[in-house]
Amino acid sequence: MQRPDEKKRQLIAATAAKLFATRPFHKVKLDDVAAEAGVGKGTLYVYFKSKEDLYFWLIYDAFSQVIEQLESQLGRGELSASQTLRRIIAELVKFGFDNPQLFELMRSAGPRIKDERWETKRKELVTLIEKTIRRGNKSGEFDDPHPEITALCLPGFMRSVMLFGSRGLDERTVVVQITRLVERGVCGGEGSDKNDKRNVAVATGRNGR
Amino acid sequence: MQRPDEKKRQLIAATAAKLFATRPFHKVKLDDVAAEAGVGKGTLYVYFKSKEDLYFWLIYDAFSQVIEQLESQLGRGELSASQTLRRIIAELVKFGFDNPQLFELMRSAGPRIKDERWETKRKELVTLIEKTIRRGNKSGEFDDPHPEITALCLPGFMRSVMLFGSRGLDERTVVVQITRLVERGVCGGEGSDKNDKRNVAVATGRNGR
DNA sequence: TCTACAATACTGGCGGGTCGGTTTTGAGGA
DNA sequence: TCCTCAAAACCGACCCGCCAGTATTGTAGA
């Protein structure tokens, strides 16, 4: 009896990922995916139940991988919040560099392709970051008044750099810079809040549009 | 068909924006846009040459608006780099809050909807930020080794917050927090580079995947 | 009456999904 | 080791609904 071939599934997935990263969802033809992967169109439906299912699997898989990777890295020993945050950043950047098309891929389809499993995974990641910052706040390493916003921003960094950064950027540089941005934002100290508020008020206080 | 009614054009655009923000490009039917806008389908083609053209115009217009708004705000008087940066952030966040669907809208279609005009506008914005940081570096206000990366990240912040931030977030809070993140990242001072590099190395130096 | 536009009918092709025929695989018997 | 057979993968031509884009008609206002 012929068995489903995991290699083939991966081949199809990889091919689809490449195409979805190149053009928007609605311009990717399953005929093309099949042709490019060197399989029959019908075979696609052996491994995936629909075009959307295929696309979703791609993203979901990537997310699961990062999170799994992160958790295995962090769960190992007991790290300080600061060290943990650095690990997270390094790991995320590494993952991005290892999967350079991932962020293009995520742009292929738009909002609300149903399913919340995707959203769940995303939140998992953000929460992981947020908790780390909160831990740092408690331990005195950090003093971030809005861990939830900062946590939200970190993946945004990644995205920006991976999507729009010049090709010349190397991984180390990116890690250092993002670490710098986040860590300083997160730490307490200079740049008093009073000062912040005054200046921000100046910048904000204008006529509404 | 003769006199192009700008009001109607705006009406169509606004309606389309609403729909594109709700579901992916390929699930938005022009019949729906026409119906919802209360115009005939044919009329759409008076104002836009195709579905893609319509979508494209939406994004392009928004970008042009932000940039124009920014430049008018900044060109006025002579501001320090620091003040300028704060203005930029405040302005961007304001724009985001004024156009809450913008970021969802930008997700509707994916990469490479041809045309580079879009990309040009985006770069214009990033360059504006980058130049401000460089100016601050020169004047001694800032000391950012990678203005190009930081500049890239700022819009990424925006996106993250607008797309995924909880509804409860208010504009002021977001401005303050983003300002905090960026400004601290950008300033020189504590958190010596030596220290950074050592710790980052610790976080990075692991087995490759 | 004439203009402009909403409404709506129409068409063409495009692409997601299917289905029946074909090939591959591996288990079990000798 | 080899043969047999059935289950399931594989294929790709085809089907069919959908929708962008166009042409036609009806109507309200001037």
Side-chain angles (χ1 to χ4, degrees), chain B residues 55-109:
Chain B
Y55 177 74
F56 200 69
W57 190 86
L58 297 176
I59 307 282
Y60 187 78
D61 185 58
F63 256 81
S64 302
Q65 249 182 277
V66 199
I67 291 177
E68 193 182 346
Q69 210 167 303
L70 267 175
E71 283 178 343
S72 86
Q73 276 294 324
L74 301 178
R76 196 149 313 196
E78 259 325 315
L79 296 171
S80 71
S82 166
Q83 286 173 317
T84 305
L85 196 58
R86 285 170 182 227
R87 280 267 167 116
I88 291 175
I89 293 171
E91 203 62 49
L92 285 179
V93 174
K94 177 168 175 18
F95 195 86
F97 272 78
D98 285 347
N99 303 273
Q101 15 161 284
L102 176 61
F103 288 88
E104 284 293 356
L105 170 62
M106 288 176 65
R107 301 178 80 194
S108 198

Side-chain angles (χ1 to χ4, degrees), chain A residues 24 26-27 52 73 86 91 107 110-111 143-144 150 153 156-157 159 177 180 184-185 187 199 206, chain B residues 25 27 52 73 86 91 104 107 110-111 143-144 150 153 157 159-160 177 180 184-185 187 199 206:
Chain A
H26 69 280
K27 289 205 171 168
E52 271 194 8
Q73 276 293 323
R86 286 170 181 225
E91 204 61 50
R107 301 178 78 194
D143 181 25
D144 186 345
T150 309
C153 288
F157 272 160
R159 192 192 112 101
Q177 182 69 6
R180 178 190 168 105
R184 292 184 175 201
C187 286
N199 286 318
R206 286 166 302 87
Chain B
F25 185 85
K27 290 202 172 169
E52 268 196 11
Q73 276 294 324
R86 285 170 182 227
E91 203 62 49
E104 284 293 356
R107 301 178 80 194
D143 181 24
D144 186 345
T150 309
C153 289
F157 274 160
R159 192 191 111 100
S160 297
Q177 182 69 3
R180 178 189 167 105
R184 292 184 175 202
C187 286
N199 285 321
R206 288 165 300 88

Side-chain angles (χ1 to χ4, degrees), chain A residues 72-200:
Chain A
S72 86
Q73 276 293 323
L74 301 178
R76 197 149 313 197
E78 259 323 317
L79 296 170
S80 71
S82 164
Q83 285 173 317
T84 304
L85 195 58
R86 286 170 181 225
R87 279 266 168 117
I88 291 175
I89 293 172
E91 204 61 50
L92 285 179
V93 174
K94 178 168 175 15
F95 194 86
F97 273 79
D98 285 348
N99 303 273
Q101 14 159 283
L102 175 60
F103 288 88
E104 284 293 355
L105 170 61
M106 289 176 64
R107 301 178 78 194
S108 200
R112 208 62 47 125
I113 322 275
K114 77 174 181 189
D115 223 304
E116 327 206 317
R117 284 172 298 166
W118 191 95
E119 184 65 4
T120 306
K121 278 289 172 193
R122 193 192 59 75
K123 274 189 185 146
E124 222 174 287
L125 176 59
V126 172
T127 304
L128 182 64
I129 300 170
E130 187 181 338
K131 278 198 176 136
T132 304
I133 299 178
R134 288 193 193 286
R135 183 151 65 87
N137 278 346
K138 268 222 181 75
S139 76
E141 289 169 273
F142 302 152
D143 181 25
D144 186 345
H146 295 289
E148 76 285 1
I149 302 184
T150 309
L152 226 44
C153 288
L154 208 161
F157 272 160
M158 284 294 310
R159 192 192 112 101
S160 297
V161 173
M162 297 307 298
L163 279 183
F164 305 119
S166 73
R167 290 320 134 227
L169 252 37
D170 77 302
E171 187 177 331
R172 169 63 61 94
T173 307
V174 171
V175 171
V176 171
Q177 182 69 6
I178 292 190
T179 303
R180 178 190 168 105
L181 275 171
V182 173
E183 206 159 69
R184 292 184 175 201
V186 128
C187 286
E190 107 291 12
S192 82
D193 263 27
K194 232 183 306 174
N195 199 18
D196 277 343
K197 286 220 178 92
R198 177 168 48 74
N199 286 318
V200 166

